[in-house]
Amino acid sequence: MNLYRKVERKLEAGAENSGPIRGQLGTGRIGMIWLAANLVVTTLLTGTFFVPGLNFTLALLMIIAGTIIGAIILVLVGNIGTRTGLPTMAITRGAFGTRGSLLPVAANVIVLMGWSWVQAMLAGVTVNYLVESLTGFSNPVLFSVICQIFVVTLALFGHEGISRVEPWLAVLILAIMAYVFAMAFGKFEPAEFSAIPVDSSLGYTPFIVLDIVISTAISWTVLSADINRMASSTRASVVGSGIGYILSTVLAMVLGATAIGYVILSGGEATAFDPTILVKAFGAPLAIAIFLSVMATNTMAVYGMITSVVNSRPERKLPFLATALVVGAVSILGATWLALLDQFTDFLTLIGAFFVPVFAIMIVDYYLLKRANYTRDILRHTGGAYWYRNGVNPIAVSVWVAGAIVAYLLTYVVPSPIGATIPCFAVSFLLYLALSWNQRQSQHQPAHQHLSQGTPENVL
């Protein structure tokens, strides 16, 4: 057996599949995983958009409100993973159909690839800044590629280890965050941050900030069931992911808003979504936090892409290693496209158009139409309750398209004063509910079953 086959067999043995698994993790462990996952540089830098575009205190209130609203969607989708044992993209079969689910799977790969590129670039820019300050050598593209090569390697061979050490990385990152907060508020009073003049030319309003924060939660929801299916109960899933996500997002975004406020009060130029500005102000500890957060989170993003593609057709599973090499090559090449960093808010808009309708449809379908019970038919390759019309639910696909059009129109054609996320979710939710109401399951149905086994159980 050649080396390629040996490596492939080893990876296949350790690779996750799209079938149901029984979760074993309690509330604290799920909470720590979510805390670690979202203490990431992209969330931190998103907070730098809001100051001085908005009053500092008002920006903090919008961050908290938007995080709570977004967390509701994330928790509801994640809990479907807990109750079924399935990852997010496999769950889409319930609403979209066995074949129709390939559409959100493709969108998921695109979104994760974009996140992977953005995080690799931010790590590369940060490393480049440190190297340039020490040696004078500068090549941000080179360092972005090197960081992404490291991430792809970890995704191939070290995904289990990364998931184990993420809580420890969270503790380290929290310590560094505490250092930044202490440094900022040790030099300037909270009232001075609130007194930073608002620059209305930046175009931010409270609702626009709220929309961006909710979009951040939507971007994480693509992995919510993947993580929460490891929870041992609904309580562990809901409480753990809810507290972990809210705490990490609020801390990271408030840190970003505070850090950029510190730069402004110190006489520096407020450049949003630029890690070098913050590293210059707070030094190497923040650079270390940025690098570690990217390595941990980006590894899981790349691994999520690989497993999504591998398991897109359960009846014809693609080879793990070959898929990983192709996906890895694309992610490495894309890390050279540094111009994407200037289009980050547009990228969040793209995520909203892709997935806000998907999650609205999933929540309606599972909780209201199927009465929180997907049967084992969802594991079938053909036929069954989720076959719809030749494997596709035309209502779900049509509502998804309609929701995406609404998101586009409210963003670019007739900009909504309250952003596009909330209207898009409401339209998709109500439209799918109205068009599918006659398919609602009757009161008399089998007791809920976790799909990893055939006996009824209560996961509460």
mmCIF file of all heavy atoms in Angstrom, residues 49-50 52-67 69 198-200 202-214 416-420 422:
data_model
loop_
_atom_site.group_PDB
_atom_site.id
_atom_site.type_symbol
_atom_site.label_atom_id
_atom_site.label_comp_id
_atom_site.label_asym_id
_atom_site.label_seq_id
_atom_site.Cartn_x
_atom_site.Cartn_y
_atom_site.Cartn_z
ATOM 1 N N PHE A 49 -16.018 48.555 13.526
ATOM 2 C CA PHE A 49 -16.835 49.304 12.569
ATOM 3 C C PHE A 49 -17.712 50.343 13.263
ATOM 4 O O PHE A 49 -18.082 51.360 12.672
ATOM 5 C CB PHE A 49 -17.751 48.352 11.785
ATOM 6 C CG PHE A 49 -17.066 47.581 10.690
ATOM 7 C CD1 PHE A 49 -17.026 46.195 10.727
ATOM 8 C CD2 PHE A 49 -16.469 48.225 9.623
ATOM 9 C CE1 PHE A 49 -16.416 45.471 9.721
ATOM 10 C CE2 PHE A 49 -15.845 47.511 8.615
ATOM 11 C CZ PHE A 49 -15.822 46.134 8.661
ATOM 12 N N PHE A 50 -18.083 50.081 14.518
ATOM 13 C CA PHE A 50 -19.187 50.807 15.139
ATOM 14 C C PHE A 50 -18.786 52.125 15.795
ATOM 15 O O PHE A 50 -19.652 52.946 16.108
ATOM 16 C CB PHE A 50 -19.865 49.903 16.170
ATOM 17 C CG PHE A 50 -20.257 48.558 15.619
ATOM 18 C CD1 PHE A 50 -20.247 47.421 16.425
ATOM 19 C CD2 PHE A 50 -20.625 48.407 14.290
ATOM 20 C CE1 PHE A 50 -20.604 46.184 15.921
ATOM 21 C CE2 PHE A 50 -20.978 47.165 13.775
ATOM 22 C CZ PHE A 50 -20.967 46.052 14.593
ATOM 23 N N PRO A 52 -16.059 55.423 15.310
ATOM 24 C CA PRO A 52 -16.966 56.466 15.803
ATOM 25 C C PRO A 52 -18.251 56.619 14.991
ATOM 26 O O PRO A 52 -18.878 57.673 15.029
ATOM 27 C CB PRO A 52 -16.097 57.725 15.662
ATOM 28 C CG PRO A 52 -15.323 57.477 14.402
ATOM 29 C CD PRO A 52 -15.030 55.989 14.399
ATOM 30 N N GLY A 53 -18.653 55.600 14.231
ATOM 31 C CA GLY A 53 -19.890 55.715 13.470
ATOM 32 C C GLY A 53 -21.116 55.859 14.345
ATOM 33 O O GLY A 53 -22.156 56.354 13.902
ATOM 34 N N LEU A 54 -21.010 55.409 15.600
ATOM 35 C CA LEU A 54 -22.112 55.467 16.555
ATOM 36 C C LEU A 54 -21.537 55.885 17.904
ATOM 37 O O LEU A 54 -20.349 55.676 18.172
ATOM 38 C CB LEU A 54 -22.771 54.084 16.666
ATOM 39 C CG LEU A 54 -24.279 54.000 16.904
ATOM 40 C CD1 LEU A 54 -25.041 54.625 15.751
ATOM 41 C CD2 LEU A 54 -24.695 52.540 17.071
ATOM 42 N N ASN A 55 -22.366 56.473 18.726
ATOM 43 C CA ASN A 55 -21.950 56.774 20.089
ATOM 44 C C ASN A 55 -21.507 55.492 20.775
ATOM 45 O O ASN A 55 -22.144 54.443 20.626
ATOM 46 C CB ASN A 55 -23.100 57.427 20.858
ATOM 47 C CG ASN A 55 -22.811 57.582 22.342
ATOM 48 O OD1 ASN A 55 -23.139 56.705 23.133
ATOM 49 N ND2 ASN A 55 -22.188 58.682 22.701
ATOM 50 N N PHE A 56 -20.411 55.545 21.542
ATOM 51 C CA PHE A 56 -19.820 54.351 22.138
ATOM 52 C C PHE A 56 -20.828 53.580 22.977
ATOM 53 O O PHE A 56 -20.983 52.350 22.834
ATOM 54 C CB PHE A 56 -18.612 54.752 22.994
ATOM 55 C CG PHE A 56 -17.903 53.602 23.636
ATOM 56 C CD1 PHE A 56 -17.002 52.831 22.914
ATOM 57 C CD2 PHE A 56 -18.137 53.270 24.965
ATOM 58 C CE1 PHE A 56 -16.342 51.756 23.500
ATOM 59 C CE2 PHE A 56 -17.478 52.198 25.557
ATOM 60 C CZ PHE A 56 -16.584 51.444 24.825
ATOM 61 N N THR A 57 -21.570 54.264 23.857
ATOM 62 C CA THR A 57 -22.538 53.588 24.723
ATOM 63 C C THR A 57 -23.664 52.964 23.918
ATOM 64 O O THR A 57 -24.079 51.820 24.172
ATOM 65 C CB THR A 57 -23.125 54.580 25.743
ATOM 66 O OG1 THR A 57 -22.066 55.158 26.511
ATOM 67 C CG2 THR A 57 -24.109 53.879 26.678
ATOM 68 N N LEU A 58 -24.160 53.690 22.911
ATOM 69 C CA LEU A 58 -25.231 53.169 22.068
ATOM 70 C C LEU A 58 -24.746 51.960 21.273
ATOM 71 O O LEU A 58 -25.487 50.987 21.084
ATOM 72 C CB LEU A 58 -25.732 54.258 21.120
ATOM 73 C CG LEU A 58 -26.927 53.898 20.225
ATOM 74 C CD1 LEU A 58 -28.112 53.428 21.064
ATOM 75 C CD2 LEU A 58 -27.320 55.096 19.362
ATOM 76 N N ALA A 59 -23.495 52.004 20.820
ATOM 77 C CA ALA A 59 -22.929 50.863 20.088
ATOM 78 C C ALA A 59 -22.905 49.621 20.974
ATOM 79 O O ALA A 59 -23.242 48.517 20.512
ATOM 80 C CB ALA A 59 -21.516 51.200 19.607
ATOM 81 N N LEU A 60 -22.543 49.780 22.254
ATOM 82 C CA LEU A 60 -22.517 48.632 23.171
ATOM 83 C C LEU A 60 -23.922 48.054 23.357
ATOM 84 O O LEU A 60 -24.102 46.833 23.376
ATOM 85 C CB LEU A 60 -21.942 49.046 24.528
ATOM 86 C CG LEU A 60 -20.524 49.620 24.547
ATOM 87 C CD1 LEU A 60 -20.005 49.680 25.977
ATOM 88 C CD2 LEU A 60 -19.588 48.806 23.682
ATOM 89 N N LEU A 61 -24.923 48.912 23.453
ATOM 90 C CA LEU A 61 -26.299 48.441 23.615
ATOM 91 C C LEU A 61 -26.759 47.666 22.377
ATOM 92 O O LEU A 61 -27.425 46.627 22.493
ATOM 93 C CB LEU A 61 -27.231 49.625 23.876
ATOM 94 C CG LEU A 61 -27.055 50.343 25.215
ATOM 95 C CD1 LEU A 61 -27.973 51.562 25.298
ATOM 96 C CD2 LEU A 61 -27.339 49.390 26.380
ATOM 97 N N MET A 62 -26.408 48.149 21.192
ATOM 98 C CA MET A 62 -26.791 47.462 19.953
ATOM 99 C C MET A 62 -26.061 46.122 19.822
ATOM 100 O O MET A 62 -26.620 45.155 19.294
ATOM 101 C CB MET A 62 -26.497 48.344 18.751
ATOM 102 C CG MET A 62 -27.397 49.568 18.621
ATOM 103 S SD MET A 62 -29.175 49.158 18.507
ATOM 104 C CE MET A 62 -29.719 49.455 20.190
ATOM 105 N N ILE A 63 -24.817 46.075 20.280
ATOM 106 C CA ILE A 63 -24.071 44.813 20.257
ATOM 107 C C ILE A 63 -24.778 43.770 21.132
ATOM 108 O O ILE A 63 -24.976 42.620 20.722
ATOM 109 C CB ILE A 63 -22.621 45.037 20.738
ATOM 110 C CG1 ILE A 63 -21.814 45.786 19.670
ATOM 111 C CG2 ILE A 63 -21.940 43.695 21.063
ATOM 112 C CD1 ILE A 63 -20.436 46.225 20.133
ATOM 113 N N ILE A 64 -25.178 44.175 22.319
ATOM 114 C CA ILE A 64 -25.842 43.248 23.242
ATOM 115 C C ILE A 64 -27.187 42.798 22.672
ATOM 116 O O ILE A 64 -27.506 41.601 22.640
ATOM 117 C CB ILE A 64 -26.030 43.901 24.618
ATOM 118 C CG1 ILE A 64 -24.658 44.156 25.275
ATOM 119 C CG2 ILE A 64 -26.902 43.026 25.524
ATOM 120 C CD1 ILE A 64 -24.727 44.991 26.548
ATOM 121 N N ALA A 65 -27.993 43.761 22.188
ATOM 122 C CA ALA A 65 -29.319 43.429 21.658
ATOM 123 C C ALA A 65 -29.216 42.535 20.430
ATOM 124 O O ALA A 65 -29.924 41.520 20.312
ATOM 125 C CB ALA A 65 -30.078 44.715 21.314
ATOM 126 N N GLY A 66 -28.337 42.874 19.488
ATOM 127 C CA GLY A 66 -28.184 42.080 18.268
ATOM 128 C C GLY A 66 -27.667 40.683 18.551
ATOM 129 O O GLY A 66 -28.088 39.716 17.893
ATOM 130 N N THR A 67 -26.771 40.563 19.521
ATOM 131 C CA THR A 67 -26.233 39.252 19.879
ATOM 132 C C THR A 67 -27.322 38.349 20.455
ATOM 133 O O THR A 67 -27.404 37.162 20.119
ATOM 134 C CB THR A 67 -25.086 39.407 20.894
ATOM 135 O OG1 THR A 67 -24.054 40.205 20.326
ATOM 136 C CG2 THR A 67 -24.512 38.049 21.270
ATOM 137 N N ILE A 69 -30.607 38.565 19.912
ATOM 138 C CA ILE A 69 -31.544 38.199 18.836
ATOM 139 C C ILE A 69 -30.940 37.114 17.957
ATOM 140 O O ILE A 69 -31.588 36.105 17.630
ATOM 141 C CB ILE A 69 -31.909 39.443 17.993
ATOM 142 C CG1 ILE A 69 -32.698 40.447 18.826
ATOM 143 C CG2 ILE A 69 -32.714 39.029 16.759
ATOM 144 C CD1 ILE A 69 -32.919 41.781 18.148
ATOM 145 N N VAL A 198 -19.270 61.484 17.182
ATOM 146 C CA VAL A 198 -19.829 60.556 16.199
ATOM 147 C C VAL A 198 -19.569 61.081 14.794
ATOM 148 O O VAL A 198 -19.778 62.265 14.508
ATOM 149 C CB VAL A 198 -21.341 60.373 16.424
ATOM 150 C CG1 VAL A 198 -21.953 59.532 15.306
ATOM 151 C CG2 VAL A 198 -21.600 59.750 17.784
ATOM 152 N N ASP A 199 -19.094 60.216 13.925
ATOM 153 C CA ASP A 199 -18.856 60.567 12.527
ATOM 154 C C ASP A 199 -20.011 60.011 11.695
ATOM 155 O O ASP A 199 -19.998 58.854 11.273
ATOM 156 C CB ASP A 199 -17.519 59.989 12.055
ATOM 157 C CG ASP A 199 -17.151 60.435 10.639
ATOM 158 O OD1 ASP A 199 -17.989 61.099 9.989
ATOM 159 O OD2 ASP A 199 -16.034 60.101 10.183
ATOM 160 N N SER A 200 -21.023 60.848 11.455
ATOM 161 C CA SER A 200 -22.218 60.394 10.742
ATOM 162 C C SER A 200 -21.942 60.075 9.280
ATOM 163 O O SER A 200 -22.732 59.368 8.641
ATOM 164 C CB SER A 200 -23.314 61.457 10.835
ATOM 165 O OG SER A 200 -22.856 62.696 10.309
ATOM 166 N N LEU A 202 -19.928 58.060 8.151
ATOM 167 C CA LEU A 202 -19.655 56.628 8.002
ATOM 168 C C LEU A 202 -20.922 55.840 7.674
ATOM 169 O O LEU A 202 -20.838 54.685 7.227
ATOM 170 C CB LEU A 202 -19.011 56.083 9.277
ATOM 171 C CG LEU A 202 -17.618 56.652 9.618
ATOM 172 C CD1 LEU A 202 -17.133 56.109 10.956
ATOM 173 C CD2 LEU A 202 -16.621 56.325 8.514
ATOM 174 N N GLY A 203 -22.097 56.436 7.907
ATOM 175 C CA GLY A 203 -23.348 55.813 7.494
ATOM 176 C C GLY A 203 -23.917 54.785 8.445
ATOM 177 O O GLY A 203 -24.828 54.032 8.066
ATOM 178 N N TYR A 204 -23.432 54.739 9.689
ATOM 179 C CA TYR A 204 -23.947 53.748 10.638
ATOM 180 C C TYR A 204 -25.078 54.343 11.468
ATOM 181 O O TYR A 204 -25.004 55.473 11.942
ATOM 182 C CB TYR A 204 -22.826 53.251 11.555
ATOM 183 C CG TYR A 204 -21.858 52.338 10.852
ATOM 184 C CD1 TYR A 204 -20.621 52.810 10.408
ATOM 185 C CD2 TYR A 204 -22.177 51.013 10.602
ATOM 186 C CE1 TYR A 204 -19.735 51.975 9.747
ATOM 187 C CE2 TYR A 204 -21.307 50.176 9.944
ATOM 188 C CZ TYR A 204 -20.077 50.659 9.518
ATOM 189 O OH TYR A 204 -19.219 49.827 8.851
ATOM 190 N N THR A 205 -26.127 53.563 11.631
ATOM 191 C CA THR A 205 -27.248 53.897 12.505
ATOM 192 C C THR A 205 -27.405 52.758 13.499
ATOM 193 O O THR A 205 -26.842 51.668 13.295
ATOM 194 C CB THR A 205 -28.556 54.051 11.706
ATOM 195 O OG1 THR A 205 -28.925 52.760 11.166
ATOM 196 C CG2 THR A 205 -28.394 55.050 10.562
ATOM 197 N N PRO A 206 -28.168 52.944 14.563
ATOM 198 C CA PRO A 206 -28.364 51.842 15.517
ATOM 199 C C PRO A 206 -28.892 50.580 14.853
ATOM 200 O O PRO A 206 -28.455 49.472 15.173
ATOM 201 C CB PRO A 206 -29.366 52.428 16.510
ATOM 202 C CG PRO A 206 -29.095 53.901 16.491
ATOM 203 C CD PRO A 206 -28.750 54.210 15.071
ATOM 204 N N PHE A 207 -29.824 50.706 13.910
ATOM 205 C CA PHE A 207 -30.399 49.526 13.259
ATOM 206 C C PHE A 207 -29.405 48.841 12.320
ATOM 207 O O PHE A 207 -29.418 47.620 12.180
ATOM 208 C CB PHE A 207 -31.674 49.898 12.511
ATOM 209 C CG PHE A 207 -32.873 50.044 13.394
ATOM 210 C CD1 PHE A 207 -33.442 51.291 13.618
ATOM 211 C CD2 PHE A 207 -33.432 48.935 14.021
ATOM 212 C CE1 PHE A 207 -34.546 51.424 14.438
ATOM 213 C CE2 PHE A 207 -34.540 49.058 14.846
ATOM 214 C CZ PHE A 207 -35.098 50.308 15.063
ATOM 215 N N ILE A 208 -28.564 49.634 11.660
ATOM 216 C CA ILE A 208 -27.548 49.041 10.786
ATOM 217 C C ILE A 208 -26.554 48.233 11.615
ATOM 218 O O ILE A 208 -26.156 47.118 11.246
ATOM 219 C CB ILE A 208 -26.810 50.120 9.976
ATOM 220 C CG1 ILE A 208 -27.778 50.818 9.008
ATOM 221 C CG2 ILE A 208 -25.645 49.519 9.215
ATOM 222 C CD1 ILE A 208 -28.422 49.896 7.998
ATOM 223 N N VAL A 209 -26.141 48.772 12.765
ATOM 224 C CA VAL A 209 -25.246 48.042 13.661
ATOM 225 C C VAL A 209 -25.933 46.780 14.160
ATOM 226 O O VAL A 209 -25.331 45.699 14.200
ATOM 227 C CB VAL A 209 -24.815 48.939 14.845
ATOM 228 C CG1 VAL A 209 -24.073 48.120 15.899
ATOM 229 C CG2 VAL A 209 -23.933 50.081 14.348
ATOM 230 N N LEU A 210 -27.208 46.896 14.540
ATOM 231 C CA LEU A 210 -27.973 45.730 14.992
ATOM 232 C C LEU A 210 -27.992 44.662 13.900
ATOM 233 O O LEU A 210 -27.809 43.471 14.171
ATOM 234 C CB LEU A 210 -29.392 46.158 15.336
ATOM 235 C CG LEU A 210 -30.297 45.108 15.991
ATOM 236 C CD1 LEU A 210 -29.896 44.895 17.449
ATOM 237 C CD2 LEU A 210 -31.762 45.557 15.924
ATOM 238 N N ASP A 211 -28.192 45.089 12.654
ATOM 239 C CA ASP A 211 -28.247 44.169 11.523
ATOM 240 C C ASP A 211 -26.925 43.432 11.338
ATOM 241 O O ASP A 211 -26.896 42.225 11.109
ATOM 242 C CB ASP A 211 -28.595 44.954 10.256
ATOM 243 C CG ASP A 211 -28.879 44.050 9.069
ATOM 244 O OD1 ASP A 211 -29.938 43.413 9.048
ATOM 245 O OD2 ASP A 211 -28.023 43.974 8.168
ATOM 246 N N ILE A 212 -25.818 44.155 11.448
ATOM 247 C CA ILE A 212 -24.494 43.542 11.281
ATOM 248 C C ILE A 212 -24.233 42.515 12.382
ATOM 249 O O ILE A 212 -23.699 41.426 12.131
ATOM 250 C CB ILE A 212 -23.390 44.620 11.278
ATOM 251 C CG1 ILE A 212 -23.513 45.485 10.016
ATOM 252 C CG2 ILE A 212 -22.002 43.991 11.356
ATOM 253 C CD1 ILE A 212 -22.566 46.667 9.995
ATOM 254 N N VAL A 213 -24.623 42.846 13.621
ATOM 255 C CA VAL A 213 -24.397 41.933 14.743
ATOM 256 C C VAL A 213 -25.225 40.659 14.576
ATOM 257 O O VAL A 213 -24.737 39.543 14.817
ATOM 258 C CB VAL A 213 -24.729 42.625 16.081
ATOM 259 C CG1 VAL A 213 -24.553 41.644 17.245
ATOM 260 C CG2 VAL A 213 -23.827 43.834 16.292
ATOM 261 N N ILE A 214 -26.468 40.799 14.148
ATOM 262 C CA ILE A 214 -27.307 39.617 13.904
ATOM 263 C C ILE A 214 -26.716 38.775 12.785
ATOM 264 O O ILE A 214 -26.706 37.537 12.860
ATOM 265 C CB ILE A 214 -28.750 40.033 13.560
ATOM 266 C CG1 ILE A 214 -29.398 40.741 14.749
ATOM 267 C CG2 ILE A 214 -29.584 38.813 13.172
ATOM 268 C CD1 ILE A 214 -30.766 41.337 14.447
ATOM 269 N N SER A 416 -32.917 49.399 3.324
ATOM 270 C CA SER A 416 -33.847 49.453 4.447
ATOM 271 C C SER A 416 -33.230 50.209 5.616
ATOM 272 O O SER A 416 -32.055 49.984 5.954
ATOM 273 C CB SER A 416 -34.204 48.024 4.883
ATOM 274 O OG SER A 416 -34.863 48.031 6.128
ATOM 275 N N PRO A 417 -34.004 51.090 6.267
ATOM 276 C CA PRO A 417 -33.457 51.809 7.429
ATOM 277 C C PRO A 417 -33.201 50.904 8.629
ATOM 278 O O PRO A 417 -32.504 51.298 9.561
ATOM 279 C CB PRO A 417 -34.549 52.849 7.738
ATOM 280 C CG PRO A 417 -35.801 52.260 7.172
ATOM 281 C CD PRO A 417 -35.372 51.505 5.951
ATOM 282 N N ILE A 418 -33.764 49.693 8.603
ATOM 283 C CA ILE A 418 -33.544 48.761 9.720
ATOM 284 C C ILE A 418 -32.674 47.578 9.293
ATOM 285 O O ILE A 418 -32.584 46.583 9.995
ATOM 286 C CB ILE A 418 -34.878 48.243 10.291
ATOM 287 C CG1 ILE A 418 -35.647 47.439 9.247
ATOM 288 C CG2 ILE A 418 -35.703 49.389 10.828
ATOM 289 C CD1 ILE A 418 -36.867 46.726 9.802
ATOM 290 N N GLY A 419 -32.016 47.696 8.130
ATOM 291 C CA GLY A 419 -31.194 46.606 7.648
ATOM 292 C C GLY A 419 -32.044 45.546 6.958
ATOM 293 O O GLY A 419 -33.274 45.645 6.904
ATOM 294 N N ALA A 420 -31.384 44.523 6.435
ATOM 295 C CA ALA A 420 -32.089 43.506 5.649
ATOM 296 C C ALA A 420 -32.350 42.214 6.410
ATOM 297 O O ALA A 420 -33.257 41.449 6.046
ATOM 298 C CB ALA A 420 -31.279 43.186 4.390
ATOM 299 N N ILE A 422 -33.531 41.254 9.559
ATOM 300 C CA ILE A 422 -34.807 41.027 10.236
ATOM 301 C C ILE A 422 -35.965 40.943 9.240
ATOM 302 O O ILE A 422 -36.775 39.994 9.315
ATOM 303 C CB ILE A 422 -35.059 42.113 11.303
ATOM 304 C CG1 ILE A 422 -34.013 42.006 12.420
ATOM 305 C CG2 ILE A 422 -36.470 41.995 11.877
ATOM 306 C CD1 ILE A 422 -34.132 43.084 13.481
#
